[in-house]
Amino acid sequence: MNKNLRTPVIAGNWKMNKNRAEAKALLEELCPLVKDAGCGVVVCVPFTDLETALAATAGTNVKVGAQNCHFETSGAFTGEIAADMLAEMGVEYVVLGHSERRQYFAETDETVNLRTKAALAAGLKPIVCVGELLAQREQGITAEVVSLQTKVALQGIDAEGLRSIIIAYEPVWAIGTGKTATAEQAGEVCAVIRATVAGLYGEEAASHLVVQYGGSMNAGNAAELLAQPDVDGGLIGGASLKADAFSQIVEAASK
Ligand SMILES: O=C(CO)COP(=O)(O)O
């Protein structure tokens, strides 16, 4: 499918890093470096950094995202944040179903689906993460796992909702390990995701879907990964914590 139909998006997932002063300093260094980016640039920061990040990126091309949201609009859910609360602040994106949320906080395909629907209802753009465990790759069931995660995440979401969604393919074994999927492995699974979406919504809708790769993506390997026909950007962990490394990935996606 024609890659020119899609503008790549490079999103940083800061995870549980950076206090407000550090967030401000990083964004003040980053924004000028990426001001001429030929791709979307997003920083997904801890909840406590959202206000700082929105202020530091105001008037720039850098968009701000959160790293999760709850699926209810309000209520007795101690410690949770509703999608509307994020939207009301001016947050535009939200990472959902990250493997660390699935692994350490018992999130499931079903709750990822509920969160995705809640995010869309609030007007947020979800970055929905899918990806196989190492054991699943070794069992040869990567395509089935990723396709299933994609299908469940999208249950009950119409074609209009799909237009606001990014799907990030993050093989769990490549996250924070320094082990990157080869460009071919990344391209192959991103193509599976697009084919799954084509099966649900048709080829035309799938041809506009941004599918990111994430997992030890850095300034050195970004160009090769992004050259794959079905890889439309990246969800960057470690390398998003340094302005120069992150801006080099943005540059690779802008070519
Ligand atoms: O989990 C990731 C982004 O969401 C990837 O993290 P790393 O880039 O640190 O491997």
Side-chain angles (χ1 to χ4, degrees):
M1 280 188 209
N2 188 352
K3 200 169 181 171
N4 296 332
L5 292 171
R6 306 179 290 274
T7 304
V9 177
I10 299 295
N13 174 10
W14 290 7
K15 308 192 180 183
M16 195 173 72
N17 292 291
K18 306 286 179 190
N19 63 27
R20 287 180 301 171
E22 291 164 343
K24 185 169 184 282
L26 173 52
L27 290 169
E28 280 174 357
E29 193 185 346
L30 178 69
C31 289
L33 293 176
V34 299
K35 69 176 177 15
D36 299 319
C39 65
V41 184
V42 184
V43 288
C44 299
V45 307
F47 290 126
T48 48
D49 287 340
L50 285 170
E51 194 145 22
T52 302
L54 286 163
T57 56
T60 76
N61 56 326
V62 177
K63 311 288 188 197
V64 174
Q67 297 173 13
N68 201 8
C69 69
H70 197 259
F71 42 83
E72 295 292 347
T73 49
S74 65
F77 300 101
T78 302
E80 293 296 318
I81 303 283
D84 273 332
M85 295 173 174
L86 299 173
E88 187 262 343
M89 292 182 78
V91 170
E92 217 172 296
Y93 287 84
V94 61
V95 175
L96 294 174
H98 191 280
S99 65
E100 287 149 17
R101 298 296 318 172
R102 296 175 190 255
Q103 228 176 325
Y104 308 132
F105 301 97
E107 291 191 16
T108 63
D109 291 341
E110 287 71 26
T111 61
V112 173
N113 171 243
L114 293 174
R115 286 169 208 272
T116 305
K117 288 195 277 202
L120 289 173
L124 297 172
K125 295 174 181 155
I127 301 176
V128 178
C129 304
V130 298
E132 81 287 4
L133 304 170
L134 181 58
Q136 293 168 328
R137 176 160 284 271
E138 287 171 352
Q139 287 158 12
I141 58 171
T142 296
E144 286 89 339
V145 168
V146 169
S147 176
L148 182 77
Q149 289 173 332
T150 303
K151 280 186 186 166
V152 179
L154 295 174
Q155 290 250 317
I157 292 170
D158 62 13
E160 200 199 325
L162 181 76
R163 278 200 284 275
S164 298
I165 293 177
I166 290 175
I167 297 187
Y169 167 54
E170 297 206 311
V172 179
W173 49 271
I175 295 177
T177 57
K179 266 192 216 165
T180 321
T182 63
E184 290 70 29
Q185 286 171 327
E188 195 175 41
V189 183
C190 289
V192 166
I193 292 168
R194 197 178 308 286
T196 301
V197 170
L200 296 171
Y201 297 88
E203 296 277 333
E204 163 69 13
S207 69
H208 288 94
L209 176 74
V210 170
V211 183
Q212 296 174 324
Y213 168 78
S216 301
M217 197 174 194
N218 58 42
N221 59 27
E224 196 189 351
L225 288 158
L226 293 166
Q228 287 290 314
D230 283 294
V231 177
D232 310 313
L235 186 56
I236 323 296
S240 72
L241 299 173
K242 295 236 163 64
D244 54 352
F246 190 62
S247 67
Q248 283 173 46
I249 300 172
V250 168
E251 203 171 307
S254 302
K255 291 198 170 117

